[in-house]
Amino acid sequence: MIKTFIICVTALGCFNVLAEQKNQEFTQSKQATAERRIVIEKKFGEFHQDPYRWMENTHDPALVKWVEQQNTITKNYLAGDQVDELKVEFQQILYGNLLTVQERSSQLDGSEKQRQRLEKFKTLQQKLLPFDQRQQDNAFTLNSPRDIYYVNYGSDSGSDFSRLEIFERETDKKMSETLMVKFPQVVWIDDQSFLYVTAQDGRLADYRSAIYRHTVGQKQPNDQLIYREEGVGATVNILQTENAYFLWRQYEDKVAISRFDIGTGEHETLIDMTEGLRWPFYIDNEKFYVITYDEAPKGKIVSIDQKTGVISTIIPEQEYAIDYAEKVNDEYFVTYIDHVASKLMRFNLESETVENIPLPYEGSARVFYDGSGLVLVMQSYSKGLSWWDYNDEKQEWELSFQEPTDISLESFRTYYKAHNGQDVAIWIVKAKETRLTPDTPMEIYGYGGFTVNLMPRYSLTSVPWYKRGGVRAIVTLPGGREYGEDWHKAGMRENKSNVFADFAAAAKHLITKGYTSSERLVATGGSNGGLLVGAVVNQYPQLFRAAVPAVGVMDMTRYQYFTAGQFWISEYGDANIRSDFFNLKSISPYHNIKGYRYPSVLVLTADFDDRVVPAHSYKYLAKLQYKNRSNNPALLLSSKWSSHGVRGTLSENVDYYALRLAFMLKELGMRE
């Protein structure tokens, strides 16, 4: 057992510090400098200082005042630098250029077939509407399997807590009070009731998933608790077939499947904790069809018998890593990742044939069967969303719909040398007329973790950047599965430093190629990518002109003690284990700020972030302002009615994107 004690030396060590900012355009005001209340903690035989732990109490009046002052400083610093123009531009993008689901459907053929395609596409978790035109940007509709009701849920403030509402389909009448849920899943069990999964927690990391039964018209406090997960940090979902219900429980990287009695909550284990299983891509009344990485680093397709739990290999591991799969009768359409672009293969088990189906262009692809034929949904960094029908006779794709864009972009790949000597892809995206020279302003973006694949995706909010001659470089980093599970493991836990080294290697590659220079390079990333940016700026402060870490995990020694942090232990390590703690401290952006000359930094967070609590960003920025020895600004923008990378209102979205881009333009010398 680890014994710790904490000594608060506030009486001796609390003082205001004037950040050393002498730039004529920017001076950090003494009144806005954060107070240092030094906490000393003994852990694993050593003493550790934390001068800004008080910022973890987001209700502290001094913190509230400091955040408000920092926001004011940021807005004043950026005021007049194209902000008003940018607000108009982003307002037009976010309000005017979006197509509703109904408008998209009418642009196709308005048929029931197209409506079904829209519903199927939503189950692939692709957002047809980047921003809802009412209040929030993450609201979407899930139709029930019944003809009576539909469920709508979304979040006013962008929080992980959502409002779940039930409406009568014919009249659009709301049928019950709003339910508050977290990470919800809805499974209808009859015409009047459904099960929903939600996460129960307080502000501290005490996530326990639970399943309730709700009857239309009753109040949420009367909902019946069916099942509660006792393990902290475990997630629960429901699998439904015509004959049975199953629990899909995941803890860290292990999965268990159980038969589930929805009346009593009792469950019988079918498969005990097994590594590497992904969520089933197809379910019938006999088997689950799943992609797994167990003994297959690049993934293979298996079936799981619902009666016996026997796992059988359907399609063995191939040359490339699996991204997605769709089953149609005895055929499997599998998209693989070929240097961060989709590659589509058709496997016919009856004829034992394998066929490569060429795609219309390089990008990211999803396929599904709509009842009459194969449908392809594609996009790339330079092309918006497109739908295609496959003509089996001609063996070619026929375009059904192409999302319009108002700028001509091009994208291509270049390859940097990763930590293991492997040539790894960087996608370069720019307006066709933009030339790549050492004077080209470039945003270098990365993530590197949690098996997230940075596949090509059109970014509507990047268009103003491209129009002003800016270029984006999206770096493939260890921690994703673009090159398989081994690539993921190369960027997690004790290997996390590989992510930072490879991001720096990619930046140096771009400079060596003459595509940009350090004085024209801005590093960006969010969440785990915010951690990346903070760590890389600490290690390579002269490599970038500016940096924008958003909603980052900045205090790696305490991340697991708040909200969703327990879910990240398998990826980062456990701060309560000696070896993990010292590794976490060695890579923690907050702990590794030195007295260097740092580039300009804009830290983005949100008051209601209940995934990566804003204290991460506050503590990081406060220490950066205290330690920074350059004349470059260290700024904060904390959105009020917003959460983890999600702004609660469209006006907040406009402000966020305008100020973020204004900062990049100003620091890279791109003023008009």
Side-chain angles (χ1 to χ4, degrees), residues 172-420:
D172 209 30
K173 178 183 177 182
K174 187 176 177 181
M175 300 304 295
S176 66
E177 70 171 20
T178 299
L179 311 181
M180 295 306 297
V181 292
K182 195 163 196 175
F183 303 131
Q185 179 195 11
V186 173
V187 177
W188 287 85
I189 54 179
D190 57 43
D191 288 342
Q192 296 294 322
S193 60
F194 58 81
L195 302 177
Y196 64 91
V197 181
T198 186
Q200 299 177 320
D201 74 296
R203 189 65 176 171
L204 297 179
D206 188 29
Y207 273 53
R208 286 179 169 86
S209 294
I211 300 173
Y212 289 87
R213 178 170 180 161
H214 178 79
T215 300
V216 174
Q218 77 177 13
K219 295 184 177 181
Q220 187 172 13
N222 296 325
D223 289 350
Q224 179 186 0
L225 175 64
I226 302 296
Y227 173 84
R228 186 174 188 267
E229 180 64 37
E230 293 304 319
V232 175
T235 59
V236 174
N237 283 287
I238 303 170
L239 294 168
Q240 181 183 22
T241 70
E242 291 182 5
N243 304 320
Y245 294 87
F246 297 84
L247 279 186
W248 182 281
R249 300 166 54 238
Q250 183 162 350
Y251 181 73
E252 295 187 345
D253 56 349
K254 296 182 175 63
V255 169
I257 306 174
S258 305
R259 299 182 188 89
F260 183 52
D261 187 321
I262 63 171
T264 65
E266 295 179 355
H267 56 100
E268 177 187 357
T269 300
L270 183 67
I271 289 180
D272 208 355
M273 289 294 178
T274 301
E275 292 188 9
L277 294 175
R278 275 171 51 177
W279 183 255
F281 62 85
Y282 184 83
I283 301 173
D284 58 27
N285 289 322
E286 297 180 354
K287 296 178 180 179
F288 306 119
Y289 295 85
V290 182
I291 296 168
T292 182
Y293 299 92
D294 184 27
E295 299 182 351
K298 293 186 177 178
K300 64 181 179 181
I301 293 177
V302 300
S303 65
I304 303 174
D305 191 286
Q306 294 172 10
K307 292 182 179 180
T308 65
V310 172
I311 300 177
S312 303
T313 298
I314 303 296
I315 299 175
E317 184 178 26
Q318 304 293 310
E319 178 183 0
Y320 300 103
I322 293 181
D323 187 30
Y324 183 78
E326 177 84 350
K327 183 179 184 297
V328 182
N329 299 322
D330 288 328
E331 290 189 325
Y332 295 81
F333 295 88
V334 186
T335 51
Y336 292 92
I337 305 173
D338 182 1
H339 290 292
V340 204
S342 292
K343 181 181 181 68
L344 180 60
M345 304 292 293
R346 170 159 53 185
F347 296 83
N348 189 304
L349 300 188
E350 184 177 356
S351 62
E352 297 183 345
T353 58
V354 181
E355 176 189 3
N356 175 38
I357 301 180
L359 295 172
Y361 54 84
E362 289 186 326
S364 59
R366 290 287 187 273
V367 294
F368 61 87
Y369 187 72
D370 70 351
S372 60
L374 194 66
V375 178
L376 169 71
V377 179
M378 277 204 77
Q379 60 182 318
S380 73
Y381 287 118
S382 55
K383 296 178 184 294
L385 189 74
S386 60
W387 288 11
W388 306 74
D389 294 292
Y390 191 67
N391 188 317
D392 256 321
E393 292 184 4
K394 297 180 179 179
Q395 294 190 340
E396 63 182 29
W397 295 103
E398 297 174 347
L399 182 63
S400 175
F401 169 75
Q402 174 67 61
E403 185 174 33
T405 57
D406 63 350
I407 185 173
S408 181
L409 300 175
E410 62 182 8
S411 56
F412 66 91
R413 282 164 292 186
T414 184
Y415 296 85
Y416 75 97
K417 195 72 70 175
H419 68 280
N420 58 358

Side-chain angles (χ1 to χ4, degrees), residues 459-477:
S459 173
L460 187 64
T461 53
S462 295
V463 170
W465 171 249
Y466 298 136
K467 285 183 175 179
R468 288 164 173 79
V471 176
R472 295 189 77 215
I474 299 92
V475 183
T476 309
L477 294 168

Side-chain angles (χ1 to χ4, degrees), residues 298 321 339-340 415 422-425 476 481-485 487:
K298 293 186 177 178
H339 290 292
V340 204
Y415 296 85
Q422 180 179 351
D423 289 329
V424 176
T476 309
R481 277 196 182 130
E482 294 93 344
Y483 295 101
E485 177 60 17
W487 185 244

Side-chain angles (χ1 to χ4, degrees), residues 8-177:
C8 181
V9 294
T10 305
L12 298 176
C14 289
F15 50 90
N16 289 337
V17 179
L18 178 60
E20 195 171 323
Q21 305 286 2
K22 298 179 180 177
N23 190 315
Q24 291 182 351
E25 293 182 316
F26 178 81
T27 300
Q28 181 72 34
S29 70
K30 185 174 182 178
Q31 290 73 28
T33 304
E35 186 179 45
R36 289 167 58 81
R37 306 175 189 173
I38 299 175
V39 173
I40 300 175
E41 180 179 16
K42 187 178 182 182
K43 196 165 186 177
F44 301 114
E46 295 185 8
F47 290 98
H48 308 275
Q49 289 192 13
D50 190 348
Y52 300 106
R53 186 170 295 184
W54 66 274
M55 289 182 159
E56 293 173 3
N57 176 13
T58 56
H59 301 294
D60 189 314
L63 178 62
V64 173
K65 180 179 179 181
W66 179 81
V67 171
E68 291 175 351
Q69 290 173 328
Q70 293 294 327
N71 277 337
T72 299
I73 289 170
T74 298
K75 291 175 182 179
N76 288 343
Y77 176 71
L78 297 173
D81 278 82
Q82 307 179 57
V83 171
D84 293 338
E85 174 191 326
L86 289 170
K87 284 184 179 180
V88 171
E89 197 166 342
F90 280 111
Q91 189 174 39
Q92 291 173 343
I93 289 173
L94 301 179
Y95 280 82
N97 292 351
L98 296 179
L99 299 173
T100 66
V101 172
Q102 290 76 19
E103 287 170 337
R104 287 181 187 275
S105 182
S106 66
Q107 286 198 15
L108 297 169
D109 59 25
S111 66
E112 177 65 15
K113 175 181 177 180
Q114 295 290 11
R115 189 193 69 79
Q116 291 173 357
R117 287 185 179 182
L118 285 162
E119 294 302 321
K120 176 66 175 179
F121 185 63
K122 281 184 284 187
T123 68
L124 301 179
Q125 297 181 344
Q126 298 283 346
K127 290 184 179 179
L128 290 176
L129 283 176
F131 302 95
D132 182 81
Q133 294 191 18
R134 291 183 295 117
Q135 291 183 331
Q136 64 277 357
D137 70 350
N138 65 337
F140 56 98
T141 299
L142 294 179
N143 285 330
S144 77
R146 317 295 174 187
D147 293 329
I148 303 173
Y149 304 114
Y150 68 91
V151 172
N152 182 82
Y153 60 87
S155 170
D156 287 328
S157 64
S159 166
D160 286 337
F161 271 107
S162 299
R163 300 171 297 102
L164 190 152
E165 300 171 333
I166 303 97
F167 295 84
E168 189 176 52
R169 189 179 302 281
E170 288 187 4
T171 64
D172 209 30
K173 178 183 177 182
K174 187 176 177 181
M175 300 304 295
S176 66
E177 70 171 20

Side-chain angles (χ1 to χ4, degrees), residues 592-640:
N592 291 281
I593 297 172
K594 310 296 182 184
Y596 296 155
R597 298 179 61 83
Y598 287 99
S600 301
V601 177
L602 173 62
V603 178
L604 302 172
T605 189
D607 291 6
F608 286 96
D609 192 336
D610 49 2
R611 195 174 308 177
V612 180
V613 293
H616 281 280
S617 293
Y618 299 157
K619 293 171 69 174
Y620 166 78
L621 180 71
K623 190 173 182 180
L624 181 64
Q625 290 177 345
Y626 175 63
K627 289 281 190 178
N628 188 15
R629 293 297 175 260
S630 77
N631 293 328
N632 297 317
L635 302 169
L636 175 72
L637 181 62
S638 186
S639 302
K640 285 193 174 298

Side-chain angles (χ1 to χ4, degrees), residues 516-535:
T516 189
S517 63
S518 291
E519 282 301 306
R520 305 288 274 172
L521 192 60
V522 55
T524 68
S527 194
N528 176 72
L531 156 66
L532 162 69
V533 173

